[in-house]
Amino acid sequence: MKWGWTLPACWIYGFYALVCHQLSQRSFFLFGLKLMYSLPEIQVAWSDRMVLCTPASDFLFAWLWWPLRRKWRPLLGWVFVVFLAPLALDGTTHLLSDLILGVGLEFRYTNAWLVKLTNGAFPATFYTGDALGSFNSWMRLVSGLLFGLGVVG
């Protein structure tokens, strides 16, 4: 859209809309004034998990894997599941939290459980919300990368 490529941009957005909620507070804004915005600031977005999940991380790891394909063996089934588990856990807890309490009110928004688990060792901005650098943001990025690595592996 930024470059005037409206049709390809709509295709990309349409594809991701099939597999992702695209909540603004959990998304990157490639040409915005900020990389991420809070829910009250804007309402249209592209999910950060989807940036590093299918197909983006699949493409990245496939590209890195190609020159080494004869040296690496495929992952064992249980190892594949280990790579998928963080995405399943993070996504499922967000889904349940959003459905039960509502977006922005859920237990995954405040992460009070994590504050207790870590004895509040990190700044409050790490625990609460979805901004870049928060626990939720890190979990989406890491789980998306592991998913892509597992699929290619």
Side-chain angles (χ1 to χ4, degrees):
M1 292 284 197
K2 172 74 174 176
W3 299 322
W5 302 348
T6 306
L7 187 59
C10 287
W11 288 342
I12 291 169
Y13 185 83
F15 171 76
Y16 278 107
L18 295 173
V19 296
C20 179
H21 52 70
Q22 301 184 28
L23 295 175
S24 61
Q25 75 275 20
R26 299 178 186 168
S27 301
F28 291 125
F29 291 82
L30 301 180
F31 300 101
L33 296 176
K34 299 188 325 187
L35 187 58
M36 294 184 89
Y37 294 87
S38 66
L39 183 59
E41 291 177 294
I42 195 161
Q43 296 293 320
V44 179
W46 190 32
S47 173
D48 52 354
R49 179 181 283 133
M50 297 314 292
V51 170
L52 294 174
C53 197
T54 305
S57 67
D58 293 351
F59 176 77
L60 170 69
F61 287 118
W63 183 73
L64 294 172
W65 166 81
W66 184 254
L68 304 170
R69 67 190 179 281
R70 290 190 172 87
K71 295 178 183 179
W72 286 359
R73 298 172 50 138
L75 293 177
L76 298 172
W78 70 269
V79 177
F80 175 67
V81 170
V82 168
F83 277 99
L84 302 185
L87 182 73
L89 180 63
D90 187 53
T92 302
T93 57
H94 269 290
L95 174 66
L96 293 174
S97 184
D98 291 348
L99 289 176
I100 294 168
L101 297 172
V103 175
L105 303 172
E106 69 274 10
F107 67 89
R108 281 301 307 271
Y109 184 80
T110 62
N111 291 308
W113 60 273
L114 185 60
V115 175
K116 289 179 183 177
L117 185 66
T118 62
N119 200 26
F122 300 99
T125 55
F126 176 75
Y127 298 106
T128 304
D130 293 301
L132 189 61
S134 69
F135 171 76
N136 288 330
S137 178
W138 277 110
M139 286 308 300
R140 284 191 300 279
L141 296 173
V142 170
S143 65
L145 280 171
L146 289 173
F147 178 86
L149 184 59
V151 167
V152 171

